[in-house]
């Protein structure tokens, strides 16, 4: 009876018998899920520095840092060595949206003598063939980048450095194991001397597969080989790759998953047949997972099952033949034909194969053989699916994505030639990872074209990195430049203090009429007003000089609507007086007459402690009839109109002085105030004899440096970049506040945005696609810098910020670069601030003729307080540029409110001391 004429019911009956006999080879979904979790643990072991030495799954770094982005272009050479012949390819990559690859290649033999000779002979032969190929192509005079696919076990230490661990595939060349194969090839090329190449990358075939497919589909982040052997690679976050230093970006990891189970992790799933295969292999105990999957072993698994079933009288009437008993005689290619789509044809093919092995099979034997092939290849596909699922989950978790969209580049004879393998693999992957949208993309010319693509990416990255660093270097300041900033600041400060040059200088050095910092004896109740934006605060500050200095504060916040902000001055100050009256009622102090300090954070010209002439409104205020007037007088007139309470006006101050005074109350050594927030400024206690714009030589007075304007006379021109000029030109006051525009929170985000736009326009970022939102001025808020640089997990934060900017397709590489730009801009801001502070503290030291000064700086401002590195970089710069000064920094709490009250308290103390 012919196999093809077997009735259907007999097929089913025999299939059930085979299924029962081979039940150990059939794995449930639950078993596969558990195995996937197990493999994920093995991946973690391989990634961890402490457990890697004993891990079976080695997770080797490949030093491939990026997949293609479609902008790669140029001519590249590829060399593909992995057997008794090798290929040389000339690959022309066309970018600019075309994404086209043209290839010309030639195969060269490696003679048997060379395969068993010395390494020198092999690499000399490769160099000779390269010369021949270049000559044929007419490009011998060009120095082209070259990628080298070297498919032997290697330990890679750089992208262009790979040490051969051991020869396989019949090679036995001396003097190569333990050596870097790239160095050996370079040496051979140099010896010839008639051509040159730039060897940029050495890779395995798995990485080549991922990179080839990555050029066609940018979602491709996994490479899979299921052929003679099996392996996978994928793009891993650097922070998880503990074998290497550095947390930023990603790198392709070669899992070497064929060795999964070499430490016993698969013992519960391995069958007697698997153990027999392993025992008869060239490397017993090694590559156990591969031996359950790959094309090298699949046919042998089927042969051993046929032998066992024959011996158990279940097949071939219990008979075997010498051919059936010969190892390797049942080729994996037989499985492909036996499992063809049409069952009748498959059974007929099984009959042909069995007869070629000297057997006389009946119809049931042929049907059973087909069923055995199905079970073995299905197990292979499902095992492959469960490890792939683990890799996909790792990538999904790295991206913190609810649903992952990913492409897997695949190569290998089993995947390509087996009629059902790919379908079974795809189906099981989707079952195991239902929350991933997965696409399988078959690789063409993976190992050769892939080497060229890795080289093209490396070439692109190198060129882009050079251009990026050239741009970023304009934002980096040397120590010499920072010393020059300090020197010029010192010079401008001296000009600001001098009566003769005060009007011409950019740094105005305004006297504040604050003559002393608190000495701890201040006491009493004081009112403080704080006006600097669309809300207004009234505070009652109670100073108690008991055993320990004590400050009690009560406050109420009032809003100022747009109509009042932009109405008349009378309406604005009437509203302020109404708020004061309401607060006094709220505190049960109606009719009280208290000393008052007024923090008025708008540009003023001060001639006395209790007088401040408003120069111009800012921050959206436009109340008429105020500019050029004394704001204290305007407030007094409003109080008189109300006639409900009386106030003793003592001081009008800005927030910088308030910050110094607040901190000085806690630390008597605080004689310097610093604000680094939306704007930036500093103040310090100057010797009266140096302040030529004020009468009197005795004692000290706080000087409001107004250093934000430093640079208005061109002092910073040689430090300003094209990005600083762009930010300045688009600002409300071009040419003004130049120093502030390089430092403060209002502008550093804008500088970053301008750099990002420049990079994108040049194709160095976001694949050259500029989002409309990124073109919007002010969209890159300075708070983003603090978030982006906050911790080592910031890549997720960067990604979400970029999405907010309309850059939904940004890559991990984009995130790394954005972080670097933020870091460079913030570092420069902190260094410039440190250089300015160095000028101030050194001036105080020299004023007092000291070799060594110990002083405290009171600091406030969101940039200083919230940016993770600003304060430390600023302090390092200060220490370096003013080594004779020991500077302590004290963060101010509520400088603008509490500080105004303290200035008032000090002024009252001064007044009472004079009366005595």
């Amino acid at each position: 009876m012919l196999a093809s004429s077997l009735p259907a019911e007999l097929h089913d009956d025999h299939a059930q018998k085979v299924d029962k006999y081979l039940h150990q080879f059939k794995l449930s979904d639950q078993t596969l899920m558990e195995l996937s979790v197990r493999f994920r643990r093995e991946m973690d072991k391989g990634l961890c520095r402490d457990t890697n030495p004993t891990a079976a799954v080695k997770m080797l770094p490949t030093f491939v840092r990026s997949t293609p982005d479609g902008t790669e272009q140029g001519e590249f050479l590829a060399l593909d060595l992995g057997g008794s012949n090798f290929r040389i390819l000339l690959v022309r990559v066309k970018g600019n949206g075309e994404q086209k690859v043209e290839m010309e290649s030639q195969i060269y033999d490696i003679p048997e003598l060379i395969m068993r000779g010395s390494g020198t002979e092999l690499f000399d032969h490769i160099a000779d063939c390269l010369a021949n190929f270049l000559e044929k192509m007419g490009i011998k005079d060009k120095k082209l980048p070259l990628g080298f696919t070297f498919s032997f076990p290697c330990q890679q230490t750089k992208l262009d450095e790979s040490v051969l661990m051991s020869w396989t595939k019949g090679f036995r060349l001396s003097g190569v194991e333990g050596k870097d194969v790239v160095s050996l090839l370079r040496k051979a090329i140099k010896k010839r001397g008639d051509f040159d190449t730039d060897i940029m990358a050495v890779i395995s075939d798995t990485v080549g597969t991922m990179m080839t497919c990555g050029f066609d589909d940018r979602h491709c982040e996994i490479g899979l080989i299921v052929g003679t052997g099996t392996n996978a690679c994928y793009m891993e976050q650097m922070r998880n790759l503990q074998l290497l230093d550095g947390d930023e970006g990603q790198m392709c990891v070669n899992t070497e998953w064929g060795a999964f189970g070499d430490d016993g992790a698969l013992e519960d799933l391995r069958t007697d047949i698997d153990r027999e295969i392993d025992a008869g292999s060239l490397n017993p105990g090694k590559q156990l997972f591969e031996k359950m999957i790959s094309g090298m072993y699949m046919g042998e698994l089927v042969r051993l099952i046929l032998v066992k079933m024959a011996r158990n009288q279940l097949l071939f009437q219990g008979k075997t033949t010498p051919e059936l008993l010969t190892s390797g005689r049942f080729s994996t290619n037989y499985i492909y034909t036996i499992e063809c789509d049409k069952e009748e044809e498959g059974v007929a093919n099984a009959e042909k194969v069995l007869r070629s092995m000297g057997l006389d099979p009946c119809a049931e034997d042929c049907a059973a053989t087909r069923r055995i092939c199905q079970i073995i290849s299905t197990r292979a596909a499902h095992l492959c699916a469960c490890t792939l699922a683990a890799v996909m989950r790792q990538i999904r978790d790295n991206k913190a994505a609810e649903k992952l969209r990913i492409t897997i580049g695949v190569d290998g004879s089993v995947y390509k030639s087996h009629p059902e393998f790919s379908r079974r693999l795809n189906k099981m992957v989707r079952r195991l990872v239902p929350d991933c949208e997965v696409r399988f993309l078959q690789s063409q010319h993976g190992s050769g074209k892939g080497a060229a693509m890795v080289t093209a990416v490396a070439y692109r990255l190198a060129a882009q990195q050079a251009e990026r660093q050239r741009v970023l270097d304009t934002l980096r300041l040397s120590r010499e430049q920072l010393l020059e900033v300090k020197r010029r600041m010192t010079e401008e400060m001296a000009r600001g203090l001098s009566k003769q040059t005060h009007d011409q200088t950019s740094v105005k050095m305004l006297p504040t009429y604050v003559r002393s910092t608190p000495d701890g004896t201040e006491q009493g109740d004081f009112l403080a007003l704080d006006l600097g934006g669309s809300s207004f605060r009234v505070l009652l500050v109670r100073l108690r000089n008991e055993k320990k200095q004590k400050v009690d504060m009560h406050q109420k916040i009032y809003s100022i609507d747009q109509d009042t902000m932009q109405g008349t001055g009378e309406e604005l100050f009437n509203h302020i007086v109404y708020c004061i009256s309401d607060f006094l009622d709220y505190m049960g102090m109606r009719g009280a007459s208290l000393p008052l300090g007024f923090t008025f954070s708008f540009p003023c010209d001060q001639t006395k402690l209790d007088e401040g002439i408003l120069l111009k409104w800012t921050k959206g205020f436009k109340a008429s009839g105020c500019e050029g007037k004394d704001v204290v007088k305007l407030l007094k007139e409003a109080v008189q109109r109300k006639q409900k309470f009386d106030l003793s006006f003592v001081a009008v101050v800005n927030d910088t002085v308030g910050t110094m005074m607040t901190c000085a109350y806690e630390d008597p050594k605080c004689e310097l105030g610093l604000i680094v927030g939306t704007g930036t400024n500093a103040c310090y206690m100057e010797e009266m004899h140096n302040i030529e714009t004020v009468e009197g030589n005795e004692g000290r007075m706080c000087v409001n440096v107004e250093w934000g304007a430093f640079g208005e006379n061109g002092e910073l021109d040689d430090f300003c970049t094209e990005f600083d000029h762009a930010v300045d030109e688009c600002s409300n006051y071009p040419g003004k506040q130049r120093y502030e525009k390089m430092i403060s929170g209002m502008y550093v985000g804008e500088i970053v945005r301008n750099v990002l736009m420049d990079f994108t326009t040049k194709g160095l970022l976001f694949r050259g696609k500029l989002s409309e939102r990124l073109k919007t001025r002010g969209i890159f808020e300075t708070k983003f810098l603090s978030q982006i640089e906050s911790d080592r997990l910031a890549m997720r934060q960067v990604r979400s910020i970029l999405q907010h900017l309309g850059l939904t397709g940004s890559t991990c590489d984009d995130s790394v670069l954005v972080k670097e730009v933020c870091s460079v801009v913030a570092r420069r801001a902190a260094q410039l601030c440190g250089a300015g502070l160095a000028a101030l503290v050194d001036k105080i030291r020299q004023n007092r003729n000291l070799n060594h000064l110990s002083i405290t700086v009171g600091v406030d401002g969101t940039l200083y307080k919230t940016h993770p590195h600003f304060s430390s970089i600023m302090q390092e710069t200060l220490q370096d540029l003013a080594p004779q000064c020991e500077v302590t920094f004290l963060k101010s709490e509520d400088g603008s409110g509490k500080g105004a009250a303290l200035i008032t308290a000090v002024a009252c103390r001064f007044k009472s001391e004079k009366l005595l």
Side-chain angles (χ1 to χ4, degrees):
M1 185 182 198
L2 287 172
S4 55
S5 59
L6 189 72
E9 59 272 15
L10 282 179
H11 269 311
D12 293 340
D13 184 48
H14 220 71
Q16 283 175 9
K17 285 179 185 175
V18 173
D19 285 2
K20 192 174 179 182
Y21 188 78
L22 298 180
H23 68 94
Q24 282 181 288
F25 287 87
K26 299 186 80 176
L27 305 173
S28 67
D29 284 9
Q30 186 181 344
T31 300
L32 291 169
M33 191 64 83
E34 286 168 4
L35 186 59
S36 187
V37 171
R38 199 183 301 179
F39 181 69
R40 182 89 181 267
R41 284 198 296 265
E42 292 298 311
M43 287 170 66
D44 289 341
K45 279 188 200 171
L47 289 169
C48 178
R49 184 181 279 113
D50 296 337
T51 50
N52 176 272
T54 56
V57 181
K58 284 299 181 189
M59 307 294 283
L60 301 172
T62 67
F63 299 87
V64 171
R65 298 295 303 265
S66 175
T67 51
D69 71 355
T71 64
E72 291 79 12
Q73 54 187 330
E75 287 186 316
F76 304 93
L77 289 169
L79 184 58
D80 182 9
L81 176 65
S84 57
N85 54 44
F86 69 96
R87 276 195 310 158
I88 300 174
L89 303 93
L90 173 63
V91 181
R92 292 186 181 92
V93 183
K94 294 182 179 178
N96 298 328
E98 284 187 60
Q99 283 188 257
K100 194 176 172 188
V101 178
E102 294 172 354
M103 293 192 296
E104 294 180 76
S105 66
Q106 188 162 334
I107 294 172
Y108 292 88
D109 287 329
I110 302 175
E112 189 97 3
L113 279 172
I114 290 179
M115 283 178 73
R116 284 164 175 68
S118 69
T120 306
E121 289 171 323
L122 171 68
F123 287 101
D124 284 349
H125 176 64
I126 292 170
D128 292 344
C129 296
L130 256 173
N132 172 266
F133 181 78
L134 294 173
E135 205 158 309
K136 278 186 178 177
M137 294 292 126
I139 52 171
K140 204 172 180 184
D141 57 335
K142 288 186 181 180
K143 183 180 179 180
L144 294 179
L146 182 142
F148 188 8
T149 303
F150 189 74
S151 299
F152 298 92
C154 284
Q155 180 70 49
Q156 204 154 349
T157 45
K158 293 180 192 169
L159 184 59
D160 63 348
E161 190 175 281
S162 196
V163 176
L164 177 67
M165 294 158 76
S166 60
W167 284 115
T168 55
K169 308 175 189 179
F171 280 70
R172 293 284 184 276
L173 293 113
S174 61
V176 184
E177 291 182 352
K179 300 274 179 69
D180 170 28
V181 294
V182 175
S183 295
L184 294 171
L185 180 56
R186 280 182 181 141
K187 194 175 173 183
I189 291 168
K190 193 175 180 183
K191 198 196 311 183
R192 274 191 64 96
D194 59 341
F195 72 94
D196 198 6
T197 62
D198 187 6
I199 304 171
M200 297 190 73
V202 58
I203 61 162
S204 70
D205 50 358
T206 318
V207 178
T209 295
M210 181 187 77
M211 296 298 277
T212 300
C213 295
F215 187 72
D216 298 319
D217 183 339
R218 67 186 182 86
H219 292 291
C220 183
E221 293 187 60
I222 300 176
L224 170 67
I225 299 279
V226 194
T228 311
T230 184
N231 194 14
C233 67
Y234 72 102
M235 296 304 291
E236 177 59 271
Q237 297 292 320
M238 280 293 290
R239 67 172 184 267
N240 296 331
L241 196 50
Q242 293 182 14
L243 299 174
L244 300 177
D245 293 329
D247 288 341
E248 305 299 345
Q250 53 184 358
M251 182 181 284
C252 177
V253 166
N254 170 12
T255 64
E256 286 295 343
W257 76 11
F260 178 36
D262 288 6
D263 58 355
L266 292 173
E267 283 314 295
D268 54 331
L269 296 177
R270 290 175 73 223
T271 66
D272 291 342
I273 301 292
D274 293 310
R275 291 186 178 90
E276 194 175 338
I277 279 263
D278 178 47
S281 69
L282 294 171
N283 54 346
K286 303 291 182 188
Q287 300 294 103
L288 298 182
F289 187 63
E290 183 171 82
K291 287 169 185 170
M292 298 168 83
I293 290 175
S294 77
M296 181 172 266
Y297 303 100
M298 207 185 279
E300 187 65 1
L301 280 167
V302 171
R303 186 190 70 81
L304 289 173
I305 291 167
L306 292 175
V307 170
K308 190 176 180 183
M309 289 183 76
R311 285 174 174 165
N312 286 339
Q313 304 295 315
L314 296 171
L315 286 177
F316 317 129
Q317 296 174 323
K319 294 173 185 173
T320 60
T321 64
E323 291 95 328
L324 183 63
L325 296 173
T326 302
S327 179
R329 183 66 178 76
F330 196 99
S331 165
T332 298
N333 288 330
Y334 293 163
I335 297 175
Y336 307 156
T337 60
I338 291 169
E339 280 200 68
C340 68
D341 293 344
K342 293 177 181 173
E343 187 175 2
E344 281 187 15
E345 191 181 328
V347 173
N349 288 338
E351 185 178 1
K352 283 179 201 170
V353 168
L354 295 172
R355 289 194 185 282
S356 75
M357 299 176 77
L359 293 161
D360 183 21
C362 65
E364 290 91 337
D365 292 336
C366 297
T369 301
R370 178 173 157 88
R371 185 64 186 151
I372 292 164
C373 290
Q374 287 172 339
I375 289 170
I376 293 304
S377 62
T378 299
R379 183 184 73 155
H382 288 178
L383 285 171
C384 206
C386 78
T387 45
L388 259 186
V391 172
M392 288 162 66
R393 280 198 198 91
Q394 176 81 356
I395 294 171
R396 186 197 60 197
D397 292 351
N398 285 344
K399 293 183 177 182
E402 284 183 28
K403 190 173 179 72
L404 177 70
R405 182 183 174 191
I406 197 159
T407 297
I408 300 168
V410 203
D411 205 350
S413 53
V414 173
Y415 187 89
K416 286 181 170 181
S417 304
H418 191 290
E420 291 293 320
F421 188 93
S422 61
R423 187 186 62 79
R424 290 172 191 157
L425 173 67
N426 300 6
K427 192 176 175 184
M428 183 51 74
V429 164
R430 289 184 173 93
R431 263 166 53 191
L432 294 175
V433 201
D435 48 2
C436 291
E437 186 185 322
V438 61
R439 177 191 181 207
F440 287 82
L441 184 59
Q442 205 163 291
S443 166
Q444 304 298 329
H445 317 291
S447 51
K449 181 180 169 186
M453 291 318 307
V454 171
T455 306
V457 169
Y459 197 69
R460 166 178 63 81
L461 291 178
Q464 288 179 339
Q465 181 67 358
E467 174 58 16
R468 285 193 290 253
Q469 291 313 312
R470 185 195 67 74
V471 172
L472 290 178
D473 281 347
T474 65
L475 289 154
R476 293 187 173 106
L477 297 172
S478 66
R479 186 171 187 272
E480 289 68 31
Q481 287 174 308
L482 291 167
L483 280 167
E484 183 59 19
V485 171
K486 177 191 171 187
R487 188 191 69 75
R488 292 181 194 180
M489 177 71 86
T490 304
E491 205 173 81
E492 285 302 301
M493 283 164 59
R495 282 161 52 80
L497 290 169
S498 166
K499 203 169 192 177
Q500 203 174 349
T501 51
H502 175 82
D503 290 342
Q504 290 85 49
T505 184
S506 60
V507 180
K508 289 300 182 189
M509 305 295 282
L510 302 173
T512 66
Y513 298 88
V514 172
R515 297 296 307 272
S516 170
T517 52
D519 68 359
T521 64
E522 294 79 12
Q523 56 185 328
D525 291 356
F526 304 91
L527 268 184
L529 311 181
D530 179 15
L531 178 66
S534 58
S535 62
F536 165 69
R537 286 192 306 157
V538 186
L539 303 93
L540 173 66
V541 181
R542 290 189 162 129
L543 304 179
R544 298 287 175 264
N545 183 16
E546 295 160 354
K547 288 182 182 176
K548 193 179 177 187
Q549 293 167 323
K550 190 180 175 189
V551 181
D552 286 329
M553 289 201 302
H554 304 272
Q555 68 169 358
K556 203 167 177 185
I557 298 170
Y558 299 89
S559 63
I560 302 175
D561 60 37
Q562 282 289 108
D563 289 343
T564 307
M565 284 168 72
Q566 299 184 4
T568 66
E570 196 170 298
E571 288 169 342
L572 173 64
F573 283 94
N574 282 347
H575 178 68
I576 289 171
V577 168
Y578 166 78
C579 296
I580 297 169
S581 176
D582 176 76
F583 179 76
L584 291 172
D585 285 348
Y586 170 73
M587 294 300 297
M589 297 175 69
R590 181 183 292 186
S593 179
L594 298 176
L596 180 139
F598 188 9
T599 301
F600 188 76
S601 299
F602 299 90
C604 282
D605 184 15
Q606 212 162 344
T607 48
K608 296 180 194 170
L609 183 59
D610 61 352
E611 182 178 285
I613 310 297
L614 175 64
L615 299 173
K616 63 183 174 192
W617 283 118
T618 57
K619 307 175 189 178
F621 279 74
K622 284 184 183 171
S624 62
C626 298
E627 290 180 358
K629 301 274 182 72
D630 173 15
V631 294
V632 175
K633 191 178 176 191
L634 292 172
L635 186 56
K636 276 181 181 174
E637 289 170 354
V639 170
Q640 284 167 2
R641 284 194 295 273
K642 187 80 173 169
Q643 290 188 340
K644 279 204 172 180
F645 55 88
D646 194 20
L647 294 173
S648 172
F649 293 91
V650 176
V652 59
V653 299
N654 72 12
D655 50 359
T656 316
V657 182
T659 294
M660 180 187 77
M661 296 298 275
T662 302
C663 294
Y665 190 68
E666 292 180 43
D667 182 346
K669 289 202 301 185
C670 181
E671 295 184 75
L672 211 151
L674 171 67
I675 299 279
V676 194
T678 310
T680 183
N681 194 16
C683 67
Y684 72 104
M685 296 305 291
E686 178 59 272
E687 307 301 316
M688 276 295 291
H689 62 78
N690 289 335
I691 310 172
E692 294 181 12
T693 53
V694 176
E695 296 293 323
N697 290 324
E698 297 302 317
R700 294 171 183 156
M701 181 184 284
C702 178
V703 166
N704 170 12
V705 181
E706 283 295 344
W707 77 6
F710 178 48
E712 287 182 11
N713 292 339
E715 304 92 343
L716 293 169
D717 284 1
D718 44 344
F719 304 114
C720 283
T721 66
E722 59 183 292
F723 311 110
D724 296 307
H725 291 302
V727 168
D728 179 49
E729 283 162 19
C730 292
S731 68
N732 292 331
Y733 302 101
K736 303 293 182 187
Q737 300 294 101
R738 298 305 298 273
Y739 188 59
E740 181 170 87
K741 286 170 184 170
M742 297 171 84
I743 292 175
S744 78
M746 182 171 263
Y747 301 102
V748 287
E750 260 305 277
I751 296 169
V752 168
R753 186 183 70 85
N754 276 273
V755 176
L756 299 184
M757 283 206 304
D758 177 71
F759 281 177
T760 308
T761 306
K762 290 174 178 171
L764 304 174
L765 187 63
F766 307 136
R767 299 162 70 87
K769 292 171 184 170
L770 199 59
S771 80
E772 285 303 314
R773 282 179 69 77
L774 191 58
K775 293 178 190 174
T776 309
R777 189 167 157 247
I779 195 75
F780 200 98
E781 298 171 49
T782 296
K783 68 177 182 182
F784 293 158
L785 274 79
S786 302
Q787 292 169 4
I788 285 167
E789 292 194 66
S790 62
D791 58 32
R792 66 197 295 262
L793 300 180
M795 284 306 117
R796 291 177 186 176
Q797 293 171 330
V798 181
R799 188 70 66 86
S800 66
I801 288 164
L802 295 180
Q803 285 172 348
H804 165 72
L805 296 173
L807 298 156
T808 49
S810 62
T811 65
C812 182
D813 294 331
D814 291 333
S815 298
V816 172
L817 181 53
V818 170
K819 188 169 182 178
E820 185 181 7
V821 173
C822 290
S823 173
V824 169
V825 171
R827 182 175 189 81
R828 185 187 69 156
Q831 286 178 321
L832 284 169
C833 199
L837 269 182
L840 285 177
V841 295
D842 252 351
K843 178 155 192 359
I844 296 170
R845 182 183 63 78
Q846 288 160 12
N847 283 347
R848 299 175 192 181
N849 296 314
L850 297 171
N851 286 325
H852 181 267
L853 172 72
S854 180
I855 195 168
T856 297
V857 178
V859 202
D860 205 350
T862 49
L863 190 57
Y864 182 91
K865 285 183 171 178
T866 61
H867 192 281
H869 311 301
F870 189 97
S871 59
S872 59
I873 294 166
M874 185 188 79
Q875 289 168 36
E876 282 165 22
T877 307
L878 171 59
Q879 193 175 359
D880 182 40
L881 303 183
Q884 290 167 275
C885 301
E886 184 189 326
V887 185
T888 304
F889 287 83
L890 184 60
K891 282 183 192 174
S892 162
E893 297 303 327
D894 195 22
S896 54
K898 184 175 162 186
L902 283 164
I903 291 166
T904 307
V906 169
C908 291
R909 173 171 62 79
F910 249 67
K911 198 173 179 183
S912 64
E913 284 171 0
K914 279 186 180 178
L915 290 172
L916 291 170

